[in-house]
């Protein structure tokens, strides 16, 4: 994708403003950023607000269950979700060292000589999680299928996608707050529809001008173009977007209907024995926080009272 | 380290109990676990309790600042903290794919044939963060040194250490809640002393029988034995331990005085221009939650009222 020079300038100016205000804290990795005091307060508030809204919105009390998975999982997850086929350009696997003292001396000698030392490491069975909901399907496949009954699972997960960019809206490591339903096709579609509406209302209530748009995932390569077209035609993916840079909308949330993609691979079944369908809705936590900074500024004290109230910023 | 058969049995029995109660949620990675509804409620309560206690304990109001760093950072961090020299057996670096459509076809062909496909990936500039406080020093080195004034930073960070184990108390990916001070030697030592006392009181108040012990980090190899002895002799590291398995104490928190190790490498200086010293105190969030399960059981409803109150479990 080519980026227009003026857009690049706008991205860099926004990043500079966020660094200056210590919303973003530099790290040693390109496209990886820490989160400063104010931005982190906004993100914690967003999570409380969204979880509370969804819990109150659900038809059955107690149907929202909050679980958590770490940023690392088994490498086989990338195979079972087909991520290695569809999004190889984004994945990350983990290398480790398991040599002895002699091997370590050789590694350090290379490092001392300014040579690469990664040749002394080897592939492990671990990979970074690219989407917060993937570990959920892998877990459900290992437990009693009685849990696949239309429960809504909420998960905040760290995701890794190898797409370093000057745009602070596109981070390599970021958090996604997801609400996931695994159940019948009807339940999955209804969940996505309800969540898109809830998400749109929530974000608009925070003062963001948002739009819902049909979308597609960044499938790799020439075959990926067809997959993306098919995804759009079947209306499987919608994004909630907002204008961060003039003339260009950026996604800050997305709602996805997976049909039986995960249900079939992980053998998840509904109580009647059918292969389960799934849908997830994700709030991009850093992206929403940054969209709020773009709209209301980086000084939380000057934010509209209603927004401060919704995010619980006075209590923080 | 050899593990006695009866200890191994005890570890496996504890893990089975935690899986049965859905405190631990299986993943596809050895030593990597998700966190179930009850365990996650305990962990969130622990974080609130500890941050509140420390904020109230500090001599200056507003001196506790909450920031956040992702689980991934630049690979150079492992070099600058000397982790690659001291703990190579624990580190994790990130491999990525940056080939074209043809390269991808070869990768998929290998995968299809059941062959390893990691040879199609290559080393990136990213690594997994092994200790929650490391990104803080890297950040402070990139901003105005005026922040190195005895502020206490609190960070919850995901840490990766490649030591898969059958013991649920020893996870490969885990969360550490840290309280870090970078300042004068006197400030750093006083911080560690105060935090060890506060941490001990907090954990005892939750019903855990805890002990403070001198300790050392698991430095690698033969040279590491000397480093470990030196660390103990200089009383740089203390752990708060509790008995999870009969006759053996497990660390659930630790307080570390780094002298000028990080200050010198990252050129952090106090207002008078001296190289800063640092100290951190870390609560092992999963370990503490599991120690509480060992003590009070996995059913939160039967936990002592005082413990439920401290962790805010009734509000959850």
């Amino acid at each position: 994708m080519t980026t227009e020079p003026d857009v690049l300038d706008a991205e860099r100016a926004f990043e500079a403003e966020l660094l200056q205000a210590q919303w973003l804290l530099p790290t040693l990795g390109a496209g990886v950023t820490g989160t400063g005091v104010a931005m982190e307060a906004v993100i914690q508030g967003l999570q409380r607000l969204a979880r509370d809204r969804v819990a109150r919105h659900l038809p059955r009390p107690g149907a929202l269950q909050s679980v958590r998975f770490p940023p690392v999982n088994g490498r086989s997850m990338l195979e079972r979700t087909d991520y290695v086929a569809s999004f190889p350009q984004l994945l990350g696997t983990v290398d480790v060292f398991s040599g002895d003292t002699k091997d370590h001396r050789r590694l350090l000698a290379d490092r001392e000589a300014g040579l690469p030392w990664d040749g002394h490491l080897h592939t492990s069975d671990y990979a970074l999680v690219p989407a917060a909901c993937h570990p959920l399907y892998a877990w459900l496949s290992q437990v009693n299928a009685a849990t696949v009954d239309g429960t809504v699972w909420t998960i905040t997960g760290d995701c890794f996608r190898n797409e370093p960019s000057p745009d602070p809206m596109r981070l390599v490591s970021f958090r996604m707050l997801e609400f996931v339903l695994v159940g019948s096709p009807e339940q999955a579609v209804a969940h996505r529809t309800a969540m898109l509406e809830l998400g749109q209302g929530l974000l608009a209530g925070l003062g963001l001008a948002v739009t819902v748009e049909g979308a597609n995932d960044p499938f790799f390569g020439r075959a990926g173009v067809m997959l993306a077209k098919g995804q759009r035609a079947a209306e499987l993916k919608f994004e909630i977007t907002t204008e961060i840079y003039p003339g260009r909308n950026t996604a800050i949330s997305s709602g996805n209907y997976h049909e039986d993609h995960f249900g079939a691979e992980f053998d998840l079944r509904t109580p009647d024995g059918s292969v389960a369908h799934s849908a997830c809705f994700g709030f991009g936590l850093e992206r929403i926080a940054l969209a709020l900074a773009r709209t209301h500024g980086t000084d939380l004290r000057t934010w509209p009272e209603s927004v401060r109230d919704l995010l619980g910023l006075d209590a923080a």
Side-chain angles (χ1 to χ4, degrees), chain A residues 239-253:
Chain A
E239 289 177 340
I240 302 180
T241 66
T242 191
E243 189 177 287
I244 302 290
Y245 306 112
R248 178 166 57 121
N249 282 352
T250 301
I252 53 176
S253 291

Side-chain angles (χ1 to χ4, degrees), chain A:
Chain A
M1 182 176 4
T2 56
T3 308
E4 301 294 327
D6 54 342
V7 167
L8 210 56
D9 284 349
E11 290 173 352
R12 289 199 175 129
F14 188 34
E15 187 189 30
E17 180 193 348
L18 295 166
L19 287 168
Q20 174 64 31
Q22 297 204 344
W23 269 56
L24 301 183
L25 312 182
T27 73
L28 302 177
V32 178
T33 183
T35 317
V37 176
M39 180 167 170
E40 192 57 22
V42 170
I43 286 180
Q44 295 303 323
L46 275 169
Q47 289 192 76
R48 281 190 302 266
L49 175 65
R51 290 183 170 190
D52 182 58
R53 282 275 174 91
V54 175
R56 283 195 285 118
H57 168 90
L58 288 174
R60 289 182 291 138
L64 180 67
Q65 298 287 313
S66 176
V67 292
R68 202 262 179 185
F69 295 94
V72 169
N73 211 295
R75 191 156 59 102
S76 63
M77 204 179 63
L78 298 181
E79 307 206 34
R80 298 193 60 183
T81 59
D82 234 25
Y83 206 85
V84 64
S86 299
F87 312 106
Q89 78 280 22
L90 301 179
L91 66 77
T93 62
V94 178
D95 272 14
V96 298
F97 173 82
S98 56
D100 60 16
T101 307
K102 270 189 188 167
D103 299 321
H104 188 227
R105 271 205 299 271
R106 288 189 204 106
L107 184 163
L108 292 181
D110 281 352
R111 174 195 173 204
E112 192 67 30
L115 297 170
W117 46 269
D118 55 280
H120 300 278
L121 309 184
H122 64 87
T123 306
S124 75
D125 286 333
Y126 301 114
L128 292 167
V129 174
C133 60
H134 290 182
L136 178 75
Y137 313 122
W139 164 51
L140 290 175
S141 73
Q142 294 178 68
V143 293
N144 194 318
T147 47
V148 186
D149 60 354
T151 295
V152 176
W153 303 95
T154 178
I155 307 168
T156 298
D158 288 276
C159 307
F160 176 88
R161 295 184 190 174
N162 182 37
E163 45 179 351
S165 160
D167 183 2
M169 294 294 284
R170 186 173 295 281
L171 301 174
V172 165
S173 182
F174 58 93
R175 279 172 283 178
M176 206 186 276
L177 166 59
E178 287 210 33
F179 296 89
V180 190
L181 184 144
V182 190
S184 69
E186 296 72 26
Q187 286 177 315
V189 171
H191 173 66
R192 189 191 53 179
T193 304
M195 282 301 310
L196 274 167
E197 193 181 320
L198 183 151
Q200 199 179 3
L202 186 154
L203 295 167
L206 294 172
L208 299 176
V210 292
T211 310
V212 176
E213 306 178 31
N216 62 265
D217 288 308
F219 292 98
F220 182 75
R222 283 195 293 272
V225 176
M226 298 303 297
L227 290 170
K229 279 188 186 159
Q231 190 184 28
R232 274 188 182 262
E235 300 192 336
L236 298 182
K237 186 181 189 74
F238 290 90
E239 289 177 340
I240 302 180
T241 66
T242 191
E243 189 177 287
I244 302 290
Y245 306 112
R248 178 166 57 121
N249 282 352
T250 301
I252 53 176
S253 291
S254 80
N256 303 275
Y257 173 40
H258 314 121
E259 301 181 300
D260 67 355
H261 176 62
F262 295 113
E265 171 55 39
F266 290 102
D267 196 25
L268 306 176
R269 289 172 184 276
T270 56
D272 71 1
S274 315
V275 173
H277 284 224
S278 58
C280 70
F281 182 87
F283 289 99
L285 291 173
E286 284 85 359
R287 286 192 178 189
I288 295 170
L290 295 183
L292 290 168
R294 194 68 164 169
T295 303
H296 304 305
T298 53
D299 183 351
L300 301 184
R301 292 168 302 183
T302 66
W303 283 23
E305 202 52 40
S306 62
V307 175
R308 294 181 53 86
D309 282 352
L310 284 169
L311 298 175
L313 294 176
D314 292 304

